[in-house]
Amino acid sequence: MKVLELKSVVIALKNIKEKFRSWQAIFFGMGFPIMFTIIFYLMFHDVDPETGIDVYSYSIPGMITYAVCLGTTSAAIVFTRDKSTGILERLDTMPTGRKNIFLGTLISESIFLTFQIIVMFILSYAILGQYFVGYFELLIGFLVSLLFGILSVGIGIIIASFSKNEEAASGIALTFVMPVIFASGAMVPFESQIVYFMPPYWAKQIFLQFTVLGDGLTSNLYSSSMIGYTATETSIPIWGGILILIAMTFLFIFIGIKLFQKKTKL
Amino acid sequence: MGCKKKISICIEIQNLVKNFKDVKAVNGISLNIKEGELFGLLGPNGAGKTTLIRMLTTTLTPSSGDAKINKFSIKTQKNEIVKLIGVCPQDNIFYNELTAEENVIFVAQMHGIPLQESKERTNAMLQKLGIAGKKRWAKKFSGGMKKRLNLVMSLIHEPKILFLDEPTAGLDPQARRIVWDFIRELKGKGNTILLLTHDMLEADALSDHIAIIDNGEIIANGTPAELKDEHGGENVLEISFYKEADVAIMKNQLKEISFVQNWKEFGERTLLIPFRGGMKNYLKILQKMSEKIIDVENMKFRQNSLEDVFLNLTGRRLRD
Ligand SMILES: Nc1ncnc2c1ncn2[C@@H]1O[C@H](COP(=O)(O)OP(=O)(O)O)[C@@H](O)[C@H]1O
Ligand SMILES: [Mg+2]
């Protein structure tokens, strides 16, 4: 069977088609991070005369992490809608398979996230001209963001398990994302141990280490601390941070699917 | 696929129960539905029809009891069952921001039908139900078009066993005819169909066999004719004669008919004749009359209906 006819791929393509038809959702999904990036640039950008680097470059990883957080809202809405419109129950009367629904939606959400990250990259690096070490490091940054995006989708599925309708889902997702983003110190500095428990902290910190602070792969991976500009210092080396992020991603996706399955078993 | 030739019972429902907290939505239903049969389940709103079908189509877990679809248990063999069945839900359920065509092709692909074939089938079937070539998103459809799209989505994979939950509710008479003809065509192909409806005309027009459901229980079960014979009460034939003398002649004739027990005179020249049994008895009365009487002024015939059956069994009307 052709790849494009695999059920999970058919579901992913259908999701993408629907998403692009409700352009308002895309506009508001992308609008906030773009807006914040531009506003903060206008407020804080300042070129260091010694290095020639714009200090705002240190804030870009946090901005991109924030943009990726919106995967939570998107996933929460998609899964809640399928549940509340009865589509999910209808799909259950066909040989669809829940695993194809989860896999297909993970694929489509990853594609939106990729799109979102690319838009943020273009804005930050091509248009606003922010500093980054090199293209390889940028690729690492991209992958870390995508991984964090999938983690966010997992949180979105958890939210969808409890939401009765789309309005509730997007409301819960937003009221969840904003405090977590602030508590993680990703967007504005937050000097507290709390950040370690916030997934966006790790995403931002790894991204920052690689694309701005770092100096070569080995130094990045084995540097004994993840010292961030205006963020708490930690004794965990960066590869530890990556493992923590991967573990958290699997955990949230797992919990999300388990909960959603449990809550939609009638 | 479908029911194997030797097995004549296709859907076997064994004491199925579903409680929602203190509401007994389905309260111990047992039924056998034969292969190739169009089985009508008739009952008022809230009788438990949808709850029953949701259990049979594997999305709702029964509180107790079981059912077998083509020998597969709805409790333990869901994966086998969903390959055999087509389900048309009561509410229109599709993706609002896809066109009719995109919705149906998507469903076909979920059934594993290759894309090219999905497209061909979809066009043919949308054509047949008069909603082909619409580039609008499904949410912009009229109520009738939505209902038909909902139906097509349950049939595109040509299932041998079909569950239709109120497939014509809210349709205008013309669209309803189209759907009725379509359902008859499906039945003609040897499919087994469970039709849920609160419309006694629909049940009567389409079903080979009818069960009447009320408060989660089956209260009668038989062919439409059997149900009307047993529980429908009497048909009434009202004849107005030209001459008073004919009334007397007719009364004499009626004495020779065993199934006519009594009659009422209404005015000088009108007879009201209640009788039981189907249309063949109606013909016998006419035959008996035409032996002696050449012409009458007027005749009215009121046949008992499934509405009467329901009324006689429950003391309520179906529509209440
Ligand atoms: N999810 C549910 N939760 C609580 N009660 C329900 C639920 N679904 C149906 N019911 C109740 O079960 C009864 C049967 O409903 P239903 O099966 O929809 O009847 P029908 O399809 O014959 O109109 C009704 O009293 C209805 O209110
Ligand atoms: Mg119903």
Side-chain angles (χ1 to χ4, degrees), chain A residues 29-93:
Chain A
M30 310 236 22
F32 273 102
I34 290 176
M35 198 176 72
F36 277 127
T37 306
I38 294 172
I39 291 173
F40 284 12
Y41 171 79
L42 296 176
M43 286 161 66
F44 302 118
H45 104 104
D46 189 13
V47 178
D48 182 341
E50 267 179 45
T51 59
I53 295 175
D54 188 337
V55 293
Y56 187 57
S57 299
Y58 295 96
S59 299
I60 291 299
M63 288 297 169
I64 292 171
T65 301
Y66 165 58
V68 168
C69 265
L70 294 166
T72 297
T73 318
S74 174
I77 291 175
V78 171
F79 280 101
T80 305
R81 189 209 52 188
D82 280 7
K83 194 173 67 164
S84 67
T85 56
I87 276 282
L88 193 67
E89 186 169 337
R90 185 159 202 173
L91 289 174
D92 284 344
T93 67

Side-chain angles (χ1 to χ4, degrees), chain B residues 276-316:
Chain B
R276 288 183 175 271
M279 297 306 284
K280 60 180 188 297
N281 286 356
Y282 174 49
L283 283 180
K284 270 185 203 151
I285 296 174
L286 294 187
Q287 197 185 10
K288 212 72 195 161
M289 179 167 74
S290 61
E291 283 172 10
K292 296 282 164 70
I293 297 165
I294 312 161
D295 197 7
V296 294
E297 187 183 346
N298 193 355
M299 271 202 308
K300 281 182 208 150
F301 177 53
R302 191 188 158 278
Q303 195 188 2
N304 61 11
S305 67
L306 292 171
E307 181 78 50
D308 300 323
V309 175
F310 190 78
L311 186 65
N312 286 332
L313 287 170
T314 65
R316 284 176 289 119

Side-chain angles (χ1 to χ4, degrees), chain B residues 180-194:
Chain B
W180 280 10
D181 286 344
F182 191 69
I183 294 173
R184 285 197 187 98
E185 194 185 317
L186 291 168
K187 182 177 120 182
K189 289 180 186 160
N191 298 308
T192 307
I193 303 173
L194 177 57

Side-chain angles (χ1 to χ4, degrees), chain B residues 200-220:
Chain B
M200 60 102 182
L201 280 178
E202 179 161 292
D204 207 355
L206 299 174
S207 313
D208 301 316
H209 200 106
I210 291 176
I212 297 179
I213 179 174
D214 189 38
N215 292 325
E217 291 173 17
I218 301 295
I219 55 172

Side-chain angles (χ1 to χ4, degrees), chain A residues 5 7 21 89-90 95 266, chain B residues 54 59 61 93 102 150:
Chain A
E5 295 193 12
K7 286 177 192 175
R21 286 180 188 180
E89 186 169 337
R90 185 159 202 173
L266 303 173
Chain B
R54 287 173 73 208
T59 56
T61 312
I93 295 173
E102 287 167 340
N150 195 45

Side-chain angles (χ1 to χ4, degrees), chain B residues 44-51 90 165-166 196:
Chain B
N45 284 329
K49 302 184 293 297
T50 300
T51 306
Q90 178 171 4
D165 194 350
E166 315 244 5
L196 311 195

